[in-house]
Amino acid sequence: WFKSVSEWSMPINRGGVESIIGEYSISTVGPGPRATRNWEYARQAGLKTVAKVQVNSTWELSIVPAIPALDLVAQHAENLSKQSVNGVMLSWSLGGYPSENLKLFQSFNRGEHADEVLKDLAMAEYGDKAAALVREAWRACSESFKEYPYHSGVVYFGPQHMGPSNPLLIKPSGFHSTMVGQPHDDLDKWRAVYPTKVWIQQMERSAAGFAEGVKLLAKAREVVDEQHRAQLESLYRRAEAVRVHLQSAAEQGRFVEARNNYYFARNSATRNEYIKIMREACAAEKKLITDALQVVTRDSSIGYESSNHYFYVPIDLVEAYISILHVERWLEKIL
């Protein structure tokens, strides 16, 4: 048996920045040229082939059991079915939780089309009353997740895993972001190859589709039957958690850039512009923390990843909120 990560070496362009996939990715649908070439060599040598993928979650965003970007997962499954691989490895240290993502991948048969499988899955998991709205929510989440500013540096060192629990600071900490650990305020490490404004823009674009998905799922909550309500509530919380974390990454990037620039500004007009940006980011982060608390206090799977355990617990969100109040008092004084 020969095993290859499916999507590695896929070329991408996000926000005008070219990069290449070198880690597991849901935002990029494989297989890529490296895998297809090596699988062909393996077949010629008489070996069976295995696609190594992660279909629940990746280091792009590890704080939910499964990212509800089902269209991307289904398209990957369809693409692999055309490659005639003999097996798949479906998860790593993260993403091993039982989910509809895994169920979709495991139930995919050769010759099937992604859209057909997704319609059947939505009906089976959420019932006929909510299925169409769930299907639209998956599509919205998938489309925006393709905008994720992918790079190995971003997925390992960005603030998206800590999300709004990462406190805002008045002065640069001087600390470096740690690998899928504490991001601190290390914006240059967060953004990797992306210019700051592009990285913020792409995080916001990624969040936007999940915001649309949440709205659709809120409508589905009004019509879903009792048999499927618990499953729908779980999906709603996961979509909302992804939205919050991606948008929080953008707001933190905006705040840190403005704060750092403030200390080098040479005139009051420029400083006041940076103060305005920081105040807006603080207000947005407070709302995101409030939204996050509504999710994590109802679902203990949010914020947890099996190799890191909890990135944060609810009290960490409260502490981050207090840090923002401290920043806002400082901004009032210097305005």
Side-chain angles (χ1 to χ4, degrees):
W1 292 75
F2 176 84
K3 182 165 57 179
S4 179
V5 177
S6 178
E7 61 270 27
W8 280 8
S9 297
M10 285 280 287
I12 60 170
N13 186 309
R14 306 275 165 92
V17 178
E18 294 185 353
S19 186
I20 195 165
I21 298 298
E23 238 291 352
Y24 297 99
S25 173
I26 289 175
S27 70
T28 302
V29 176
R34 174 181 177 271
T36 53
R37 181 183 65 247
N38 289 345
W39 286 331
E40 181 56 33
Y41 292 154
R43 293 187 192 100
Q44 292 173 10
L47 300 174
K48 293 183 177 180
T49 55
V50 180
K52 203 176 179 188
V53 294
Q54 286 184 212
V55 301
N56 261 349
S57 59
T58 68
W59 291 122
E60 290 161 308
L61 191 65
S62 66
I63 52 84
V64 290
I67 298 170
L70 272 292
D71 286 64
L72 301 178
V73 175
Q75 189 59 59
H76 203 155
E78 181 179 335
N79 291 354
L80 287 175
S81 74
K82 295 174 182 176
Q83 285 291 318
S84 299
V85 293
N86 302 108
V88 288
M89 175 181 168
L90 289 174
S91 66
W92 198 238
S93 63
L94 66 161
Y97 196 87
S99 74
E100 61 205 9
N101 295 44
L102 286 172
K103 188 176 293 185
L104 181 151
F105 222 92
Q106 291 169 318
S107 65
F108 211 101
N109 296 312
R110 296 196 202 287
E112 285 187 300
H113 294 290
D115 197 53
E116 295 171 3
V117 177
L118 287 165
K119 287 179 182 177
D120 291 344
L121 182 67
M123 186 70 71
E125 295 293 302
Y126 301 101
D128 57 354
K129 295 179 181 178
L133 287 165
V134 168
R135 182 70 195 86
E136 286 302 309
W138 285 344
R139 184 177 288 111
C141 294
S142 298
E143 281 302 308
S144 72
F145 203 50
K146 290 191 290 187
E147 297 287 345
Y148 183 93
Y150 185 96
H151 185 271
S152 294
V154 175
V155 302
Y156 281 134
F157 297 103
Q160 67 275 4
H161 308 293
M162 293 290 288
S165 70
N166 192 36
L168 301 185
L169 305 174
I170 291 173
K171 294 182 179 180
S173 70
F175 294 131
H176 295 298
S177 177
T178 61
M179 185 173 177
V180 291
Q182 295 288 341
H184 300 293
D185 52 351
D186 191 0
L187 177 58
D188 285 340
K189 201 77 169 285
W190 298 352
R191 63 183 179 81
V193 298
Y194 294 90
T196 298
K197 284 180 171 48
V198 173
W199 183 83
I200 292 170
Q201 164 195 285
Q202 293 305 119
M203 281 294 182
E204 286 197 306
R205 287 178 175 176
S206 299
F210 287 91
E212 179 62 25
V214 168
K215 291 178 183 177
L216 290 163
L217 294 175
K219 293 180 181 178
R221 294 165 93 186
E222 298 174 2
V223 300
V224 69
D225 56 60
E226 286 304 313
Q227 178 184 350
H228 300 95
R229 183 170 297 280
Q231 182 78 349
L232 181 63
E233 290 295 332
S234 175
L235 176 62
Y236 177 90
R237 290 191 296 265
R238 286 186 285 115
E240 174 69 343
V242 173
R243 177 194 73 83
V244 165
H245 278 249
L246 294 175
Q247 187 62 43
S248 177
E251 299 299 344
Q252 290 179 54
R254 188 174 287 113
F255 174 86
V256 172
E257 180 190 36
R259 182 207 62 191
N260 292 350
N261 288 340
Y262 168 83
Y263 285 106
F264 293 97
R266 297 188 177 185
N267 61 73
S268 59
T270 304
R271 285 195 295 270
N272 287 340
E273 181 61 28
Y274 292 136
I275 290 171
K276 178 177 180 289
I277 294 170
M278 285 188 280
R279 293 179 73 177
E280 291 173 350
C282 283
E285 272 292 273
K286 287 198 297 184
K287 179 62 168 63
L288 290 168
I289 289 172
T290 303
D291 293 341
L293 281 167
Q294 295 299 311
V295 172
V296 300
T297 54
R298 289 169 170 79
D299 191 336
S300 60
S301 71
I302 304 298
Y304 180 86
E305 188 280 315
S306 59
S307 65
N308 287 278
H309 295 258
Y310 280 100
F311 280 105
Y312 61 87
V313 291
I315 195 64
D316 296 312
L317 290 167
V318 176
E319 184 176 5
Y321 195 98
I322 293 170
S323 79
I324 295 173
L325 297 179
H326 184 56
V327 170
E328 287 180 325
R329 284 197 293 270
W330 169 67
L331 291 172
E332 288 294 332
K333 291 178 181 177
I334 64 176
L335 186 61

